Amino acid sequence: DLLELAKETQENNLILQAKLLQSEILIIDDRIEEAITTSLFATELAKQQQDIDYIASAHYHLGQAYLKKNNPEKARINCLKALEIAESRYLSDNKLNTYACLHQAYQAKGDYENAYRYLQLFQTLNDSLLNEETVRQVSNLNLKQEYEQQVLLEKMKREEEQAQAQFRLQQNRRTQIFTLILLGFAVVIILLIYSNLNKKTKYTKKLESFNLALLNKQRIIHSKNKKLDRFAHSVSHDIINRLNNIS
């Protein structure tokens, strides 16, 4: 699909990618001659475009194809070219692949010294890449832990703030309820005091009215007593006069 798209769009980069991918698939399928033809085409196209990275990839694929064709010398030549480019471009993954390719090529040629040398280079670089990956993973893990701790701290802070806000709200509600209760008691006490004062005022008015009535009665009785005294004095005087006249 990628190759068809590259042909339709006439994009050389897409064509290169498609050819290299096709070459890799052909090598896996043991269609070596087709893989070599495809890789050679990719090499020439990459050279025309002066794309160093693609040239290295094409030589590496050629080396793999020649290894499967049992032609270790051509495999060695192409892998060395790929390695030269990888070292100049500091392409660690490409260097790792070419070390493996050269190890297999020299082993197939019976040059065990160089085969062992490239095997050591492969293992050293592989360990280095693994260490770098481990360091990167540890660094990412530390960053992740720091981020999770930060998120947890922020969550705990929010929960604490919410708890404090809830506590303050409850305190305000309790204060409001207590204030309402106190106001209720105050209103009841005021009403009781007012009721007692009202009753006292009524009793005072009644007592004053009763005292006035009693005073009026006393005045009436006193007036009647005076009248009786005058009447008795008059009667007594008349009787005495009559007795004196009789004697």
Side-chain angles (χ1 to χ4, degrees):
D1 293 339
L2 181 62
L3 184 58
E4 292 298 325
L5 177 62
K7 289 179 180 179
E8 289 176 4
T9 58
Q10 295 297 312
E11 286 288 338
N12 289 334
N13 281 337
L14 283 178
I15 294 173
L16 264 173
Q17 292 178 33
K19 286 295 182 180
L20 290 172
L21 180 61
Q22 185 182 19
S23 173
E24 188 174 348
I25 293 170
L26 290 170
I27 291 170
I28 294 171
D29 292 342
D30 285 329
R31 295 161 63 183
I32 306 304
E33 293 298 333
E34 294 179 57
I36 291 172
T37 302
T38 304
S39 297
L40 286 171
F41 176 82
T43 304
E44 291 303 320
L45 185 58
K47 287 179 180 179
Q48 290 174 11
Q49 291 187 218
Q50 297 182 349
D51 193 318
I52 305 300
D53 293 340
Y54 281 132
I55 292 172
S57 297
H59 279 299
Y60 170 73
H61 283 87
L62 274 172
Q64 290 291 311
Y66 282 124
L67 276 175
K68 285 220 171 183
K69 193 180 178 181
N70 294 322
N71 191 337
E73 180 58 24
K74 286 188 176 182
R76 182 187 69 82
I77 292 170
N78 281 282
C79 286
L80 281 173
K81 289 180 180 178
L83 178 60
E84 182 181 355
I85 296 171
E87 287 179 338
S88 67
R89 305 278 288 182
Y90 302 102
L91 303 173
S92 297
D93 290 336
N94 287 6
K95 283 170 65 176
L96 189 69
N97 292 331
T98 53
Y99 285 156
C101 179
L102 287 167
H103 162 69
Q104 294 174 358
Y106 280 114
Q107 190 176 33
K109 283 172 63 68
D111 188 347
Y112 297 108
E113 182 179 352
N114 280 319
Y116 179 70
R117 182 165 68 89
Y118 281 106
L119 177 62
Q120 283 185 317
L121 289 171
F122 173 83
Q123 291 175 342
T124 302
L125 181 58
N126 188 50
D127 291 341
S128 176
L129 292 175
L130 287 175
N131 289 335
E132 288 178 6
E133 181 64 24
T134 302
V135 170
R136 186 162 52 251
Q137 288 177 355
V138 170
S139 178
N140 290 336
L141 182 60
N142 290 333
L143 289 173
K144 182 180 178 182
Q145 288 178 344
E146 289 177 4
Y147 173 75
E148 289 176 350
Q149 287 177 354
Q150 186 66 27
V151 170
L152 181 61
L153 287 173
E154 290 179 357
K155 182 180 179 182
M156 291 174 63
K157 185 178 179 180
R158 285 195 301 271
E159 289 177 351
E160 184 179 358
E161 290 175 352
Q162 290 176 356
Q164 290 178 352
Q166 187 69 21
F167 178 73
R168 287 195 295 270
L169 181 62
Q170 290 177 352
Q171 275 191 327
N172 291 336
R173 286 179 179 174
R174 291 194 189 99
T175 303
Q176 290 174 356
I177 292 171
F178 183 70
T179 303
L180 289 174
I181 291 172
L182 286 178
L183 287 173
F185 277 122
V187 170
V188 170
I189 291 171
I190 291 170
L191 289 175
L192 288 173
I193 292 172
Y194 175 77
S195 178
N196 289 332
L197 288 173
N198 195 23
K199 286 180 181 179
K200 187 176 180 180
T201 302
K202 287 180 180 179
Y203 290 149
T204 301
K205 288 181 179 179
K206 285 182 179 180
L207 183 61
E208 288 176 354
S209 178
F210 180 74
N211 288 334
L212 287 172
L214 182 61
L215 184 61
N216 288 331
K217 286 181 180 180
Q218 286 178 347
R219 288 175 180 173
I220 293 171
I221 291 171
H222 184 69
S223 177
K224 288 181 179 181
N225 286 336
K226 283 184 177 181
K227 288 181 180 179
L228 286 173
D229 287 342
R230 286 195 298 270
F231 177 74
H233 179 73
S234 177
V235 170
S236 174
H237 183 72
D238 288 342
I239 291 172
I240 291 172
N241 288 333
R242 286 180 183 180
L243 288 173
N244 288 330
N245 290 331
I246 293 174
S247 62

